[in-house]
Amino acid sequence: MAKRQIGLVREPDSGDRRQAWGTIEETELRIDPDDAEVIVDALSVDHAGSFNLFYLLRKHYWTAAGAEHDEVADFLEAAYKRVRRINDGLARRIVELGGIPPNTPPTIQERAEVRLEAEDLYDLRASLEGDLEAYATLVASMREHVRLVEGRGDDGTGELLRTHLEALEADAHDVEQFLEDDTLVRAGTTER
């Protein structure tokens, strides 16, 4: 499963590898290894998606412009910090389940259903519309994974996902409210 990423990812010259990427180790949670593998795979999708959402929100925080700059930027800063905590929580749970979370750009992008925005600069309305789409993608994935993990007998992971869903859905609602406001900079304007 491991691919060598020349120039982008390095392998240490020394030290003992404790676990190979793509494997599942038995843990104190005592979840059946086959179930743990399915759960880790699902959580890896959510982990990668939340990583990309974090990058989107942070980019838009850096570049927010227009009449409501301060209010939107304050929200985006708080939102990207929340998503980063969600991302860390998912990674820790993957490790608790005996897996290794996606942790390099190639492995993250292979699994992410949330797509990154092009590196160009877009108006705030377009950026927030993309953020809302990213939230919707991640929320749909996590809802599906709540059913999956609980069906596999992992109520702890189900509870973690439900908690994360509450935060994501609240933030998505806030983005919707910003988009309802006509004062956001629209495409074709150059106001900064």
Side-chain angles (χ1 to χ4, degrees):
M1 182 174 203
K3 293 182 192 175
R4 186 167 180 86
Q5 301 293 327
I6 298 173
L8 182 62
V9 178
R10 73 164 185 85
E11 292 184 28
D13 294 331
S14 63
D16 294 328
R17 182 171 67 179
R18 293 178 19 219
Q19 182 178 346
W21 164 252
T23 62
I24 302 295
E25 300 286 327
E26 192 168 324
T27 69
E28 295 174 4
L29 296 180
R30 299 183 190 261
I31 293 176
D32 178 87
D34 292 335
D35 289 332
E37 183 175 5
V38 169
I39 295 166
V40 165
D41 285 345
L43 291 181
S44 292
V45 170
D46 297 337
H47 174 266
S50 65
F51 218 99
N52 281 356
L53 179 58
F54 163 77
Y55 280 121
L56 287 169
L57 295 169
R58 191 172 63 167
K59 174 188 177 186
H60 299 152
Y61 162 71
W62 292 336
T63 61
E68 296 186 31
H69 166 268
D70 291 339
E71 183 180 356
V72 173
D74 288 347
F75 164 76
L76 290 170
E77 181 179 25
Y80 83 67
K81 289 178 180 178
R82 272 189 295 280
V83 172
R84 187 56 189 246
R85 285 190 298 272
I86 289 169
N87 180 261
D88 287 342
L90 292 169
R92 284 191 304 271
R93 188 60 179 183
I94 289 169
V95 171
E96 290 170 355
L97 289 162
I100 302 170
N103 58 74
T104 63
T107 58
I108 290 169
Q109 297 315 314
E110 285 173 7
R111 285 157 184 78
E113 293 177 352
V114 172
R115 298 291 168 230
L116 294 171
E117 180 179 85
E119 293 177 341
D120 302 315
L121 182 61
Y122 299 93
D123 67 79
L124 186 56
R125 180 170 292 280
S127 295
L128 289 176
E129 287 170 348
D131 294 344
L132 187 58
E133 182 178 327
Y135 273 108
T137 300
L138 184 55
V139 164
S141 176
M142 289 178 96
R143 282 184 186 151
E144 179 182 318
H145 294 154
V146 167
R147 288 188 292 277
L148 181 141
V149 302
E150 290 177 348
R152 298 271 178 166
D154 186 358
D155 294 334
T157 300
E159 180 66 27
L160 176 74
L161 291 174
R162 288 178 195 282
T163 299
H164 292 332
L165 276 168
E166 288 177 21
L168 293 170
E169 290 170 340
D171 282 352
H173 179 71
D174 288 345
V175 172
E176 287 176 326
Q177 289 182 315
F178 283 123
L179 288 170
E180 289 173 359
D181 194 339
D182 286 334
T183 63
L184 284 179
V185 176
R186 294 197 177 270
T189 64
T190 57
E191 181 183 326
R192 186 124 215 256

